[in-house]
Amino acid sequence: MARTGIEHGREFELRGGPDAVLLLHGLTGSTFEMHVVARRLAEAGMRCLAPVMAGHGGDARELLGVPWPEWVAKARRELARLEGARRTFVVGCSMGALVACALAHDHPERVDGLVLLAPALELQLHGRLGALLARLGPLSRLVVPKEAGSDVHDPEMRERNRGPTLGGVPLAAVAELTALAEHVDRQLPGIAAPALVVAGAHDHTVTVGGSRRLARRIGSGPAELVILEDSWHLVGIDVERDLCADVTARFLTGLPVPGARGSAAPGRRARGEDGAGTREQDGGTRRRGTGRRPRAR
């Protein structure tokens, strides 16, 4: 079977109806990590645009010297391509989730909803150490090889993701990521767009605590937090990718349409759907086994 543009991690666009979604991948990643969610949203009738983030799409060293505002600026230009849609949503993974938050804060009139997959608000210890080393100076241009591949539990998806993703992580880019996280953390209370946060319980890249903090602090929140109990970092392509895609589609389709009467609140709609893993909302926790159909509330 020939590999498509999606398989190669290049920009892709899927046609849809009146609503549009901008999908933003993570640091050193590619659009491949967004393709399962995008296809599910396209099935739900949404136009999907997944661009290649600034500094990506080539060699890892091309990320050296790319400051985090360039990631936001590139995403802002891509968001403008979706002007004219009835509603515009942003779905971001890791770094892309932080960029999505920045867009929602800076352009509230253009972002009607957010889905934040494994947001990189707080890195695991090794990531924080890498950022610290980069700030010391001499090691800032060091590129650490991804010898084990991506942070994905599913071995087949990890292997498929090797080609599209960058082969190393520049420490300078990690430092930029932490600077972006600090910026977004300050912006969170001013974000009005309703949000869903999805995290992997066994994420080796970012902390679940960071996802909880984001869900708690976001101005439209507390946001619903869904923890996928068998997933690692790239929840959109990992073992529970279909569930991740489903909860994303259900959340976005459940948001009120401007001018429509009788639209359900997004949180109530999401709590009454099928699911698995752990859901946390308004301080409550619900655990569900895979394949179990919960009672509607």
Side-chain angles (χ1 to χ4, degrees):
M1 180 183 298
R3 291 171 67 86
T4 65
I6 291 178
E7 289 284 336
H8 284 294
R10 297 192 296 262
E11 175 182 308
F12 67 83
E13 184 170 359
L14 304 178
R15 296 181 180 180
D19 298 325
V21 187
L22 180 67
L23 298 106
L24 305 174
H25 66 77
L27 184 64
T28 75
S30 77
T31 61
F32 178 78
E33 63 199 40
M34 310 302 293
H35 79 278
V36 177
V37 171
R39 282 173 167 153
R40 179 66 183 85
L41 294 177
E43 290 172 0
M46 300 182 190
R47 174 188 174 192
C48 293
L49 173 62
V52 176
M53 298 292 282
H56 294 72
D59 186 86
R61 292 196 172 275
E62 294 178 14
L63 268 174
L64 294 171
V66 178
W68 67 259
E70 287 196 22
W71 299 333
V72 178
K74 172 69 184 296
R76 184 183 302 115
R77 293 192 295 271
E78 301 298 337
L79 183 65
R81 294 170 59 184
L82 301 178
E83 287 185 6
R86 180 181 64 177
R87 297 181 295 175
T88 305
F89 307 122
V90 185
V91 178
C93 177
S94 193
M95 175 192 77
L98 299 183
V99 173
C101 287
L103 291 179
H105 178 273
D106 297 344
H107 305 281
E109 76 288 353
R110 295 166 63 184
V111 179
D112 298 298
L114 295 168
V115 177
L116 310 171
L117 310 179
L121 194 66
E122 181 182 67
L123 300 181
Q124 295 284 4
L125 178 60
H126 59 87
R128 300 198 299 273
L129 289 175
L132 177 61
L133 290 173
R135 292 185 178 121
L136 295 178
L139 296 178
S140 63
R141 300 188 65 80
L142 178 66
V143 177
V144 180
K146 292 184 183 178
E147 295 180 353
S150 303
D151 190 0
V152 180
H153 191 187
D154 186 314
E156 179 183 351
M157 276 295 185
R158 190 186 318 125
E159 186 60 30
R160 289 176 64 188
N161 196 43
R162 278 185 182 273
T165 193
L166 300 185
V169 183
L171 292 188
V174 179
E176 291 296 325
L177 180 62
T178 58
L180 172 60
E182 292 167 1
H183 175 76
V184 168
D185 197 25
R186 293 190 295 269
Q187 289 186 323
L188 285 175
I191 296 176
L196 168 69
V197 181
V198 182
H202 304 285
D203 195 317
H204 306 97
T205 304
V206 306
T207 70
V208 176
S211 293
R212 288 195 175 100
R213 175 179 173 82
L214 191 157
R216 183 176 66 250
R217 281 177 45 78
I218 196 166
S220 59
E224 182 179 7
L225 170 63
V226 177
I227 300 177
L228 302 181
E229 296 180 348
D230 297 320
S231 296
W232 293 4
H233 182 53
L234 297 182
V235 292
I237 58 172
D238 213 339
V239 290
E240 294 158 295
R241 54 188 174 271
D242 290 333
L243 174 57
C244 179
D246 284 346
V247 297
T248 296
R250 288 166 182 161
F251 176 76
L252 294 180
T253 57
L255 292 177
V257 176
R261 301 181 61 183
S263 298
R268 293 182 61 187
R269 170 71 177 270
R271 286 199 299 269
E273 299 285 1
D274 293 350
T278 303
R279 289 177 181 259
E280 304 183 9
Q281 182 159 339
D282 301 331
T285 301
R286 302 183 67 199
R287 294 187 177 273
R288 297 174 178 171
T290 304
R292 175 180 171 188
R293 185 178 183 85
R295 291 174 297 176
R297 296 179 64 185

